[in-house]
Amino acid sequence: MTRITSCFTGIFFAAFLAACGAGETPSETAATTTPASENDIDLIVNGSHIVTMDEVGTIIENGAIAIDDGVILAVGSADEVTAKYSAAVTLDGERRIVMPGIVNGHSHAAMTLLRGVADDLALMDWLQNYIFPAEVEFVDAEFVRIGTELACWEMIRGGTTTFVDMYYYPDTIAQVVEDCGMRALISATVIDQRSPDAENADDGIRKGSGFIERWQNRNSRITPIFGPHANYTLNAGQLAATRDAAMKYGVPISIHLSESPFEVQNSQNTYGMTSIEHFESIGFFEGPTIAAHVVWPTQEEIPILAERRVGVIHNPTSNMKIASGIAPITEMLEAGVLVGLGTDGAASNNDLDMWEEMRLAAFLQKVDRMDPTAIPATTVLRMATSGGAAAIGLGDTIGSLEVGKRADLIQVAFEDVHHVPTYDVVSHLVYVSDEQDVASVIIEGKVVMLERKITSIDTERVAEEATALAARIQAALKERNEAN
Ligand SMILES: [Zn+2]
């Protein structure tokens, strides 16, 4: 069943595919899309419900969104919007819920290629004995390209439109993001050990600075940032030096913070204080910070996170799988901390499914507090959209469907058996829907998935490349295990 109506001709996609370098379609046809009047626009997306996630949680029945030049021009009833605008492409809204694209606030995208390579281990054992050695051995620019493409494919398929990544070869990540049409904050990793792309922390800062100079203000969808790994993999001077470099370029930092009891104890042993107290003492929070995990903040530290506007990214699946603990999300939200959601890398999750993160975020708080009213569905949906956008510093740009914001939105199909009946759309989005229900994905006004067909990534090629690379990794691991 096709859901494109109106005057769709394929021209729009030809222009898009040519622009992102992903297609073979010739670009000369694009000229015929030149608008005849200001009400001739790129795209109208209809929905049986538009879940705007604006300040007051407006939901519009039989609504539509008008989009031109990557920006939302109008949000209203389908009748009003279609009466006013004429679009080159219109997406039908029958049994389609329209909502903002999902924000994945913490990922290591290319780790999709290490999915399942080592499971059921504690964080430090997993990192030091499996992940770090495997990365030094296998991760190069080619690994990062293929792994990130695989991740972008998986994220688009699941309705994620923005992610905050921390991995190696950030130029390669940025190139993949530029080509596949997603939005991302991409961290240049800084860690005080030999990594796949740097010798030590100083080298990481130097190379990261080059990356930021190359990518800053180059593409409106891409924000290059610094990613100092954690309080236990960098010393105080290196953390401060990374923050200084970030301040110099005016970019945020993403970091793992207060993730495990090990980290808290290690910080106590080294500095006589916790990670958050330590960061506060060295002025680390004076620039914008996106902090992943934050499982173990004390009652005294939560107000610091709120006051410093630290964006906390909750990763319930990873925290559960590695048994890092249960983050006090309810207390942080009550204290006014900005909280978003993330998947973490696919080696500790083991997928990039944000619908699962939403459900687990809700359930984990409810069972931890033995209180079913803890973080209700609307709060969780906000953490995955407008709240997540605010936590990563893009609250004015994306995260809700409002006039003037960038057009990052998805259509979720409500036609599976698990959507029958539907009494409450938000309840269903959080407690029922999953990534297979995402039908279409629009980022910056471009349709990157249409009725489950991804248009911006050559998925067949990526699947072949990922399978071939994984076979090489598996053979090398087997050889290494046999030698030991
Ligand atoms: Zn992480």
Side-chain angles (χ1 to χ4, degrees):
M1 171 171 33
T2 176
R3 297 223 163 244
I4 302 189
T5 56
S6 178
C7 53
F8 173 64
T9 60
I11 289 165
F12 175 81
F13 286 107
F16 170 70
L17 289 170
C20 72
E24 316 80 42
T25 327
S27 60
E28 50 268 28
T29 49
T32 58
T33 60
T34 307
S37 87
E38 64 181 52
N39 290 339
D40 283 352
I41 59 168
D42 291 339
L43 180 63
I44 290 176
V45 180
N46 288 285
S48 52
H49 293 79
I50 312 275
V51 179
T52 65
M53 299 311 291
D54 65 5
E55 203 67 31
V56 292
T58 306
I59 296 176
I60 302 163
E61 249 181 88
N62 297 318
I65 301 198
I67 297 161
D68 197 48
D69 214 11
V71 176
I72 296 174
L73 291 187
V75 182
S77 77
D79 290 346
E80 281 164 18
V81 170
T82 43
K84 180 162 182 193
Y85 297 100
S86 153
V89 176
T90 297
L91 305 194
D92 189 10
E94 197 191 340
R95 293 198 300 274
R96 294 290 180 273
I97 307 297
V98 176
M99 61 173 268
I102 295 172
V103 177
N104 182 350
H106 181 63
S107 68
H108 310 281
M111 289 183 90
T112 45
L113 287 172
L114 297 175
R115 200 195 307 265
V117 86
D119 293 316
D120 309 324
L121 298 163
L123 176 65
M124 294 316 292
D125 184 21
W126 178 77
L127 267 182
Q128 285 169 345
N129 298 322
Y130 295 87
I131 295 303
F132 287 152
E135 286 181 335
V136 168
E137 188 170 347
F138 302 117
V139 175
D140 57 14
E142 183 71 350
F143 176 105
V144 171
R145 178 187 64 77
I146 297 168
T148 308
E149 283 193 291
L150 193 61
C152 290
W153 168 8
E154 185 178 347
M155 285 193 277
I156 291 172
R157 191 275 301 263
T160 294
T161 53
T162 295
F163 65 109
V164 179
D165 205 43
M166 182 196 287
Y167 212 57
Y168 308 106
Y169 299 96
D171 287 274
T172 304
I173 302 171
Q175 193 57 58
V176 170
V177 171
E178 181 160 79
D179 293 344
C180 79
M182 288 189 77
R183 189 182 306 282
L185 276 67
I186 299 164
S187 318
T189 298
V190 180
I191 187 164
D192 191 28
Q193 63 192 39
R194 193 180 147 228
S195 75
D197 67 352
E199 289 306 313
N200 51 36
D202 286 348
D203 194 32
I205 294 172
R206 193 176 54 77
K207 287 178 174 156
S209 299
F211 161 66
I212 286 166
E213 284 167 18
R214 285 188 289 280
W215 283 91
Q216 202 165 28
N217 304 319
R218 171 166 156 180
N219 183 318
S220 60
R221 290 183 283 104
I222 295 171
T223 309
I225 67 173
F226 277 105
H229 179 263
N231 192 26
Y232 56 91
T233 45
L234 293 159
N235 66 35
Q238 293 160 342
L239 286 163
T242 313
R243 172 58 77 191
D244 287 346
M247 296 295 253
K248 178 182 152 195
Y249 294 107
V251 298
I253 269 178
S254 77
I255 190 163
H256 299 96
L257 182 60
S258 207
E259 178 172 0
S260 64
F262 161 84
E263 177 182 335
V264 175
Q265 193 55 52
N266 182 271
S267 186
Q268 285 288 1
N269 296 347
T270 313
Y271 302 109
M273 53 186 132
T274 66
S275 295
I276 293 168
E277 288 165 347
H278 177 230
F279 282 13
E280 179 70 350
S281 76
I282 62 171
F284 190 82
F285 292 133
E286 273 158 32
T289 308
I290 302 161
H293 301 291
V294 196
V295 178
W296 296 99
T298 63
Q299 289 306 314
E300 294 73 43
E301 290 171 329
I302 290 174
I304 298 176
L305 299 170
E307 191 189 328
R308 296 297 190 180
R309 310 289 293 162
V310 172
V312 167
I313 305 301
H314 181 39
N315 302 264
T317 304
S318 171
N319 295 345
M320 291 170 79
K321 182 162 183 269
I322 306 182
S324 296
I326 302 173
I329 297 304
T330 309
E331 286 87 342
M332 287 195 263
L333 287 170
E334 279 166 4
V337 177
L338 304 169
V339 183
L341 286 177
T343 55
D344 208 358
S348 62
N349 186 303
N350 288 357
D351 57 35
L352 306 176
D353 182 352
M354 287 292 290
W355 303 88
E356 187 178 30
E357 300 306 321
M358 280 195 257
R359 259 192 298 283
L360 289 178
F363 295 164
L364 201 49
Q365 291 301 298
K366 293 176 194 304
V367 73
D368 183 46
R369 299 168 67 91
M370 289 302 285
D371 175 7
T373 69
I375 54 167
T378 318
T379 308
V380 177
L381 195 60
R382 205 165 274 290
M383 286 162 64
T385 55
S386 56
I392 67 167
L394 293 184
D396 294 334
T397 312
I398 55 162
S400 61
L401 302 177
E402 295 178 87
V403 172
K405 283 205 167 177
R406 310 305 297 179
D408 291 9
L409 53 145
I410 63 177
Q411 278 190 325
V412 184
F414 267 37
E415 57 192 6
D416 190 272
V417 61
H418 63 196
H419 292 108
V420 182
T422 296
Y423 297 112
D424 179 325
V425 170
V426 170
S427 160
H428 257 61
L429 283 170
V430 172
Y431 295 130
V432 176
S433 299
D434 57 41
E435 55 186 10
Q436 282 81 9
D437 295 318
V438 177
S440 296
V441 175
I442 294 105
I443 307 174
E444 191 104 330
K446 302 279 193 294
V447 182
V448 297
M449 184 168 82
L450 180 66
E451 290 300 319
R452 299 184 173 87
K453 172 103 184 72
I454 292 178
T455 56
S456 65
I457 297 174
D458 181 349
T459 53
E460 215 167 293
R461 170 185 57 75
V462 174
E464 276 171 24
E465 289 178 334
T467 306
L469 182 52
R472 292 211 298 278
I473 293 171
Q474 189 150 31
L477 286 174
K478 191 161 173 260
E479 204 173 297
R480 196 173 68 183
N481 289 345
E482 281 165 4
N484 287 341

